[in-house]
Amino acid sequence: MADELSADIVVIGSGICGSLTAERLAKTGASVLILEAGPRVTRDQLVLYYRSAPRKGDWMAPYPPSWWAPHPTYEPDWGSATDVDKGRVARQPPGRTGNGYLVQAGPYPYPAEYIRIVGGTTWHWAAHMWRLLPNDFRIKSLYGVGKDWPLTYEELEPFYYEAEVKTGVSGAPDTGSPRVKPFPMEPVAESWAMRRFRERLAPGGYPVVSNTTARNSRAYDGRPPCCGANNCQPICPIDAQYHGGLAAAAAEAAGARLLPNAVVYRIEHDSDRRITAVHYYDPDKLSHRVTGKTFVLAANGIESPKLLLMSASDKYPNGIANSSGMVGRNLMDHPSSSLTFDAEDELWLGRGPQSPASINTLRDGPFRSEHAAFRLDFTNISQVRAATEDLIAAGVYGAELEKQLRYRAAHQCNVKNVPEVLPMPENRVVLSDQRDELGLPKPKVHFFLGDYLHKAMAAAKKEYARIAELMGGTNLRYTPDGEYANNQHIMGTMSMGDDPKDSVVDPYGRTHDHENLFIAGTGVMPTAATVNPTLTAVALTFRTAEHIAHT
Ligand SMILES: Cc1cc2nc3c(=O)[nH]c(=O)nc-3n(C[C@H](O)[C@H](O)[C@H](O)COP(=O)(O)OP(=O)(O)OC[C@H]3O[C@@H](n4cnc5c(N)ncnc54)[C@H](O)[C@@H]3O)c2cc1C
Ligand code: SF4
C-alpha cells in the first residue's frame, strides 16, 4: 500500500459526466477528488497526433491507448475509408471483431469506441446534444415496448437547460422537445449542401433541420465560433466544440483535485452497505486506497459496470450495486444503416461541421409498438479522401480517376438512421477471462439485435429511397442488411428505475444497494430513444449532483 488519500466526494472518471459532477460539487465547498485512469493530454498534442497520422480515416489515431488504461481500437483493419466517412463512425468489416481489448461474445459485433484519457471520450465526438422527446420517457405505457423511465421529461427539463448552457448548445427550436427557454445559441450557419437537402426534400414532406450541437455559432464561454473547417471528428482544433477536457479543467478551476493515471480497480464496503474506499493502481502497479464520504462512479457505460462486477466480495458475490443482477445488462446503442448516392446537384460536402442536419419526423408515432423509431441524419464530411480510396481500390487511375473523383467529390452524399434499440437483459457487459497489462479483466460484450430493430431498418430503407429520388440520386449504395455501423452511444448497463429488483440506480442516480454510491453517465439510461445520449446523461448528472449537494 503506497499512501492513502481522502475527500468528501470521490469521483471515478474525468469524462464529461464525472468532471461536470466534480465541478458542481466543488463549488458547494466540498473537497472533491477525481480519479482518472488515463493520462493528461492537451489539445495541441492531439491535433499534432492527428496531423501526423498516416490514415486520416482512423479517428482513434490521436488517442493511442496507454498500456495501463487500455481502450478499444480497431487496427489494423478499419474497413474502407467510405465506411468510416459516410457514417461518422468507425466500424469493423463484417465478421471481424478483434481489437485486443473489448472481447466479443456475439452474436452481433459490438465495436464500441471510447477513450481513457483526462476528459474522456467526448474529445472526439460529433457534439450532438439532443433532448429526448417527452414520449421517449414512457414507451412501455404508450407503445407496450421497452421500459418507462422513473422520471418525466418535465422533471428533467430544467437540467436539460442547465446542461445546454454549460456546454454551449446551439440548435433549431423545431425538433419536438418542448423548451421553457430558447437555446443559448442560434445554429451554426447552414452549409450549401444542407441547404440543398432542405430545399429539395421539403416538397416530399421531409423537414430538414439543423442538428442540436455543443458547437459555438458565436464566441461563447471563452471559446471561438465554429469556422467550418470540417475536422470536428476526431478533434476540433479550435475548441469551437465543447468536450470533457474543458469540463475537467473547469472542475480543477473550481477546486477539485484531479489525479491522472489512477486506474480504480476495486470498490470497498463496510458491513453496513456503505462504500468506504476505492483502490487504484498507478502505472507502476502500486496500489493506493482512497477514502471518502460519497462516491460517484462515472467511468462510462462499459468500464463502470466492469468495475462494479470486479468489486465482488463475500457479502456481494455478484458485485457492488448488483442485488438486482442488472449491472452490465440491457446494453444499448444506435446501430445505423445508411444509403450513399450521387445527388443530381453539386453539393460539395465538406464545408461547415461534419454532422449538421437531420430529419426528426420519424422519432415518434404509434408505429413504435411495431418497430423502432429513428432519426435520419446527413453527413457533411468531405468525400474527397473516401472517393479517392474507393476509386483506386476499384482500379481507376489517370485521367479517368481525376474525372470520377471530381464528380464524386461534388455529388456523393449519405444519409443514415439512428434507431432505438430496446433494453434486453441478454445484451450485456461481463468480465472476460482475458487480462490487461495491469492484470485486470478485459470487458466482454454480448450483443443481439432483434426484429424490432430489423423492421425499422426495412422502414428506413424506404425513406432512403424516397430521399434519393427527391435528390435526383443515382448510383445508390445501401449498407447490406444486418451490417450496421455502431454509433458509440453506450447505454443501459446500470439502468435507472424505481424497483430495486430490476434496476441499479434510483431516479437520482443513487445505487439502490449503497446509499453513498452514485452513478453518472449514459449507462443509467433505461431506454435509448433516437438521439445521441450525452445531453441526457449530463442533465441527469446535474440532477444527481444537486441531490448529493442537498443530502
Ligand atoms: C466517435 C464518437 C462520436 C460520438 N459522438 C457523440 C455525439 O455526437 N453526441 C453524443 O451525445 N455522444 C457522442 N458520443 C458518445 C459520447 O462520447 C459519450 O456518451 C460520452 O463520452 C459519455 O461520457 P462519460 O463521461 O459517461 O464517459 P467517458 O467520456 O467515456 O469518460 C469516462 C472516463 O472514465 C475514465 N475511466 C474509465 N475507467 C476508469 C477506471 N477504472 N478508473 C478511473 N477512471 C476510469 C476514462 O478514462 C474516461 O476519462 C460519441 C462517441 C464516439 C466514440
Ligand atoms: S467545423 Fe468542426 S472542426 Fe471546424 S471549427 Fe467547426 S466544430 Fe471545429
Side-chain angles (χ1 to χ4, degrees):
M1 195 67 65
D3 54 13
E4 190 157 310
L5 295 166
S6 193
D8 293 334
I9 317 275
V10 177
V11 178
I12 302 160
S14 71
I16 192 167
C17 293
S19 290
L20 288 176
T21 311
E23 184 198 10
R24 189 157 171 171
L25 290 170
K27 283 182 172 169
T28 66
S31 63
V32 179
L33 175 62
I34 309 174
L35 299 173
E36 164 54 49
R40 279 188 192 277
V41 291
T42 59
R43 189 188 61 202
D44 53 333
Q45 190 185 356
L46 297 172
V47 172
L48 190 65
Y49 285 164
Y50 187 52
R51 196 173 281 151
S52 24
R55 276 182 59 81
K56 297 292 186 256
D58 178 355
W59 285 343
M60 286 301 279
Y63 308 99
S66 52
W67 66 262
W68 60 93
H71 51 240
T73 57
Y74 297 92
E75 309 226 35
D77 195 341
W78 280 71
S80 78
T82 315
D83 287 335
V84 176
D85 282 357
K86 73 186 181 187
R88 297 194 341 269
V89 286
R91 76 177 185 88
Q92 293 276 68
R96 288 186 60 98
T97 52
N99 61 78
Y101 184 64
L102 188 59
V103 180
Q104 302 285 326
Y108 281 79
Y110 182 63
E113 235 182 69
Y114 53 89
I115 305 175
R116 290 169 94 190
I117 56 176
V118 170
T121 308
T122 51
W123 273 103
H124 86 149
W125 66 339
H128 282 243
M129 285 290 255
W130 297 95
R131 294 180 176 203
L132 269 55
L133 301 171
N135 284 356
D136 291 334
F137 290 77
R138 43 197 191 112
I139 58 171
K140 182 74 181 171
S141 305
L142 290 171
Y143 309 116
V145 295
K147 292 179 188 173
D148 285 353
W149 288 49
L151 77 170
T152 62
Y153 177 89
E154 290 69 27
E155 283 171 280
L156 203 55
E157 206 280 338
F159 299 98
Y160 267 138
Y161 184 66
E162 192 182 343
E164 289 165 348
V165 171
K166 181 74 203 170
T167 59
V169 171
S170 54
D174 46 0
T175 52
S177 306
R179 317 181 49 85
V180 175
K181 295 178 186 167
F183 280 107
M185 276 175 273
E186 297 287 309
V188 171
E190 189 180 43
S191 68
W192 166 252
M194 295 308 125
R195 176 175 158 186
R196 291 308 292 143
F197 274 117
R198 180 170 55 74
E199 290 170 345
R200 288 194 68 148
L201 297 186
Y206 292 108
V208 175
V209 298
S210 291
N211 284 341
T212 300
T213 58
R215 183 178 294 129
N216 288 355
S217 59
R218 59 177 169 85
Y220 187 87
D221 198 22
R223 294 179 290 115
C226 169
C227 65
N230 203 246
N231 202 78
C232 327
Q233 291 169 108
I235 182 160
C236 172
I238 60 168
D239 274 356
Q241 285 184 165
Y242 190 81
H243 57 82
L246 297 165
E252 289 187 287
R257 179 177 174 196
L258 193 158
L259 213 57
N261 307 318
V263 184
V264 179
Y265 67 92
R266 187 158 79 85
I267 301 173
E268 183 187 313
H269 60 83
D270 64 13
S271 55
D272 208 20
R273 294 160 49 120
R274 284 183 69 82
I275 303 304
T276 44
V278 295
H279 298 250
Y280 74 85
Y281 285 136
D282 64 25
D284 293 325
K285 210 179 171 183
L286 280 176
S287 184
H288 306 252
R289 183 171 183 265
V290 177
T291 57
K293 293 180 187 153
T294 300
F295 295 82
V296 181
L297 178 55
N300 87 29
I302 289 179
E303 295 296 328
S304 288
K306 188 188 97 176
L307 180 57
L308 293 169
L309 295 172
M310 275 163 56
S311 303
S313 64
D314 289 346
K315 190 171 167 71
Y316 300 110
N318 296 326
I320 293 293
N322 198 19
S323 62
S324 62
M326 287 296 130
V327 168
R329 291 190 183 271
N330 300 305
L331 172 67
M332 296 172 285
D333 208 302
H334 292 125
S336 289
S337 65
S338 67
L339 170 66
T340 301
F341 62 95
D342 298 337
E344 185 177 34
D345 294 11
E346 291 197 349
L347 298 174
W348 292 107
L349 264 55
R351 177 68 191 136
Q354 288 177 346
S355 179
S358 291
I359 293 169
N360 284 269
T361 44
L362 299 158
R363 286 179 58 190
D364 191 28
F367 64 84
R368 285 176 96 172
S369 56
E370 298 298 323
H371 69 72
F374 51 89
R375 189 167 57 80
L376 293 168
D377 194 83
F378 297 98
T379 187
N380 184 34
I381 296 178
S382 163
Q383 300 295 294
V384 174
R385 189 182 54 78
T388 309
E389 290 193 13
D390 284 353
L391 288 167
I392 288 175
V396 183
Y397 293 102
E400 186 60 21
L401 173 67
E402 186 181 341
K403 186 177 145 208
Q404 289 200 34
L405 182 55
R406 280 183 184 282
Y407 184 83
R408 284 214 195 172
H411 295 268
Q412 185 167 291
C413 60
N414 174 270
V415 55
K416 72 167 191 174
N417 70 348
V418 183
E420 175 161 45
V421 161
L422 294 177
M424 292 183 270
E426 61 270 36
N427 283 351
R428 63 190 297 207
V429 178
V430 296
L431 305 179
S432 78
D433 53 10
Q434 297 182 29
R435 303 267 155 179
D436 67 17
E437 298 284 326
L438 283 176
L440 306 176
K442 296 178 182 178
K444 179 160 87 175
V445 282
H446 297 253
F447 203 53
F448 168 79
L449 298 169
D451 272 355
Y452 190 72
L453 180 88
H454 295 312
K455 285 188 209 158
M457 292 304 192
K461 222 168 169 177
K462 291 186 189 151
E463 306 296 343
Y464 299 152
R466 179 90 181 104
I467 287 168
E469 188 187 349
L470 289 163
M471 295 298 293
T474 51
N475 191 17
L476 274 54
R477 286 152 279 163
Y478 294 92
T479 44
D481 289 344
E483 280 184 33
Y484 305 133
N486 196 42
N487 269 297
Q488 325 308 352
H489 303 155
I490 309 159
M491 294 168 279
T493 48
M494 297 158 295
S495 186
M496 171 179 282
D498 285 323
D499 184 351
K501 287 197 215 61
D502 69 3
S503 59
V504 178
V505 298
D506 73 10
Y508 292 99
R510 185 197 297 265
T511 56
H512 291 301
D513 297 353
H514 312 279
E515 65 166 354
N516 65 336
L517 176 63
F518 292 79
I519 297 178
T522 50
V524 302
M525 293 173 63
T527 61
T530 57
V531 287
N532 316 48
T534 310
L535 182 74
T536 299
V538 172
L540 291 168
T541 292
F542 282 150
R543 194 165 182 265
T544 296
E546 184 177 276
H547 191 69
I548 293 172
H550 290 106
T551 50

Short mmCIF file of all heavy atoms in Angstrom, two decimals, residues 10 37 63 161 169 184 269 369 375 446 537 542:
data_model
loop_
_atom_site.label_atom_id
_atom_site.label_comp_id
_atom_site.label_asym_id
_atom_site.label_seq_id
_atom_site.Cartn_x
_atom_site.Cartn_y
_atom_site.Cartn_z
N VAL A 10 -15.57 11.48 -3.85
CA VAL A 10 -14.59 10.84 -4.73
C VAL A 10 -15.29 10.49 -6.04
O VAL A 10 -16.31 9.78 -6.03
CB VAL A 10 -13.99 9.58 -4.08
CG1 VAL A 10 -13.01 8.90 -5.05
CG2 VAL A 10 -13.30 9.92 -2.77
N ALA A 37 -8.25 7.20 -14.87
CA ALA A 37 -7.37 6.11 -15.28
C ALA A 37 -6.29 6.56 -16.27
O ALA A 37 -5.15 6.10 -16.22
CB ALA A 37 -8.20 5.00 -15.92
N TYR A 63 -5.53 9.25 -30.36
CA TYR A 63 -5.79 8.79 -29.00
C TYR A 63 -5.21 7.39 -28.75
O TYR A 63 -5.95 6.43 -28.50
CB TYR A 63 -7.31 8.76 -28.72
CG TYR A 63 -7.98 10.06 -29.06
CD1 TYR A 63 -8.66 10.22 -30.27
CD2 TYR A 63 -7.93 11.14 -28.18
CE1 TYR A 63 -9.26 11.43 -30.60
CE2 TYR A 63 -8.53 12.35 -28.50
CZ TYR A 63 -9.20 12.48 -29.71
OH TYR A 63 -9.79 13.67 -30.03
N TYR A 161 -31.76 22.27 -19.67
CA TYR A 161 -31.37 23.65 -20.00
C TYR A 161 -30.02 24.00 -19.37
O TYR A 161 -29.15 24.59 -20.01
CB TYR A 161 -32.46 24.64 -19.55
CG TYR A 161 -32.12 26.05 -19.95
CD1 TYR A 161 -32.08 26.41 -21.30
CD2 TYR A 161 -31.77 27.01 -19.00
CE1 TYR A 161 -31.71 27.70 -21.69
CE2 TYR A 161 -31.41 28.29 -19.38
CZ TYR A 161 -31.39 28.63 -20.73
OH TYR A 161 -31.02 29.90 -21.11
N VAL A 169 -24.85 24.95 -26.19
CA VAL A 169 -25.58 24.23 -27.25
C VAL A 169 -26.26 25.21 -28.20
O VAL A 169 -26.88 26.18 -27.78
CB VAL A 169 -26.60 23.26 -26.63
CG1 VAL A 169 -27.51 22.67 -27.70
CG2 VAL A 169 -25.87 22.14 -25.88
N PRO A 184 -29.16 28.48 -25.94
CA PRO A 184 -28.16 29.52 -25.69
C PRO A 184 -27.66 30.18 -26.98
O PRO A 184 -27.28 31.34 -26.98
CB PRO A 184 -27.02 28.75 -25.01
CG PRO A 184 -27.65 27.53 -24.43
CD PRO A 184 -28.81 27.19 -25.31
N HIS A 269 -16.48 -1.86 0.72
CA HIS A 269 -17.68 -1.52 1.50
C HIS A 269 -17.49 -1.95 2.95
O HIS A 269 -16.60 -2.76 3.26
CB HIS A 269 -18.90 -2.22 0.90
CG HIS A 269 -18.75 -3.71 0.90
ND1 HIS A 269 -19.02 -4.51 1.99
CD2 HIS A 269 -18.31 -4.57 -0.07
CE1 HIS A 269 -18.77 -5.77 1.70
NE2 HIS A 269 -18.33 -5.83 0.46
N SER A 369 -45.03 0.68 -31.54
CA SER A 369 -45.41 -0.62 -30.96
C SER A 369 -44.95 -1.77 -31.87
O SER A 369 -44.86 -2.91 -31.43
CB SER A 369 -46.92 -0.68 -30.71
OG SER A 369 -47.59 -0.41 -31.91
N ARG A 375 -34.18 8.55 -36.17
CA ARG A 375 -33.88 9.87 -36.71
C ARG A 375 -33.05 9.64 -37.97
O ARG A 375 -32.31 8.67 -38.06
CB ARG A 375 -33.06 10.65 -35.69
CG ARG A 375 -32.81 12.11 -35.97
CD ARG A 375 -32.26 12.79 -34.70
NE ARG A 375 -31.06 12.13 -34.25
CZ ARG A 375 -29.85 12.34 -34.76
NH1 ARG A 375 -29.68 13.20 -35.75
NH2 ARG A 375 -28.79 11.69 -34.31
N HIS A 446 -21.92 -9.14 -24.93
CA HIS A 446 -22.88 -9.97 -25.68
C HIS A 446 -23.85 -8.99 -26.33
O HIS A 446 -24.43 -8.14 -25.64
CB HIS A 446 -23.69 -10.86 -24.72
CG HIS A 446 -22.86 -11.85 -23.97
ND1 HIS A 446 -22.87 -13.19 -24.26
CD2 HIS A 446 -22.00 -11.69 -22.94
CE1 HIS A 446 -22.04 -13.82 -23.44
NE2 HIS A 446 -21.51 -12.94 -22.63
N ALA A 537 -27.46 12.41 -20.44
CA ALA A 537 -26.59 11.96 -19.34
C ALA A 537 -26.11 13.15 -18.50
O ALA A 537 -26.07 13.08 -17.27
CB ALA A 537 -25.40 11.19 -19.90
N PHE A 542 -26.39 16.46 -13.56
CA PHE A 542 -26.65 17.68 -12.78
C PHE A 542 -27.72 17.42 -11.72
O PHE A 542 -27.65 17.93 -10.60
CB PHE A 542 -27.07 18.84 -13.70
CG PHE A 542 -25.90 19.48 -14.42
CD1 PHE A 542 -26.07 20.04 -15.67
CD2 PHE A 542 -24.64 19.53 -13.85
CE1 PHE A 542 -25.01 20.65 -16.34
CE2 PHE A 542 -23.57 20.11 -14.51
CZ PHE A 542 -23.75 20.68 -15.76
#
